[in-house]
Amino acid sequence: MPRLNRIVETALYVDDLDRAAAFYEDQLGLSSMLRTRTLYAYDIGGQNVLLLFLRGASVETQVSERGSIPPHDGNGPLHICFAIDAGELASWEERLGQHDIEIEGRMRWNRGGTSIYFRDPDGHLLEIMTPGNWPNF
């Protein structure tokens, strides 16, 4: 059976791309890779991409001279997790506090690792996790 190697992209659907960009760029420090009318893309550690789609703007097939992308969309609060180095947890907690971002939850995992949880402006649940919970993480 062919093997899946990793997840390349994760998508969130937002109501206001500029508001979302301000959060992810200014408060989380992500670098923009692409900006279109309906999509902003961000580099995550040189290995993954976070896609922010304008909610409702991709419900029809998108066609260009290079090909097509089938319709998709999402509603409600979704969840994603960002990996960090173990020694950076306190710095992230401080950074979130400086931006008045409330940490809603914390978890110390049985296999090791610690997670903290907070929300973006669209209500998506974001998690930052230190190594230890998942193999090869």
Side-chain angles (χ1 to χ4, degrees):
M1 171 186 259
R3 188 181 97 161
L4 297 174
N5 292 328
R6 63 187 171 96
I7 294 175
V8 175
E9 299 172 339
T10 298
L12 294 177
Y13 298 87
V14 301
D15 293 320
D16 183 323
L17 282 171
D18 291 331
R19 179 185 70 186
F23 177 82
Y24 285 94
E25 292 172 20
D26 300 341
Q27 297 178 17
L28 297 189
L30 298 183
S31 298
S32 177
M33 297 172 54
L34 171 72
R35 284 181 181 235
T36 72
R37 184 179 55 79
T38 61
L39 162 71
Y40 290 3
Y42 293 94
D43 173 58
I44 308 295
Q47 298 180 28
N48 305 99
V49 177
L50 173 61
L51 303 174
L52 300 179
F53 285 97
L54 183 61
R55 194 182 320 275
S58 54
V59 294
E60 295 184 16
T61 300
Q62 298 178 30
V63 179
S64 77
E65 65 278 355
R66 296 181 310 275
S68 64
I69 301 172
H72 54 88
D73 200 36
N75 288 301
L78 302 175
H79 169 73
I80 61 173
C81 178
F82 298 100
I84 63 169
D85 291 334
E88 292 188 346
L89 184 61
S91 295
W92 271 105
E93 290 174 321
E94 182 179 335
R95 181 180 180 101
L96 295 174
Q98 289 170 346
H99 290 282
D100 295 322
I101 299 170
E102 177 187 355
I103 295 174
E104 291 186 23
R106 298 174 188 276
M107 178 64 71
R108 282 185 292 167
W109 299 102
N110 289 340
R111 294 185 192 174
T114 299
S115 293
I116 58 173
Y117 300 88
F118 56 97
R119 304 244 176 217
D120 75 0
D122 286 274
H124 298 302
L125 182 63
L126 307 182
E127 176 181 359
I128 292 178
M129 179 189 289
T130 64
N133 194 40
W134 300 110
N136 303 318
F137 157 62

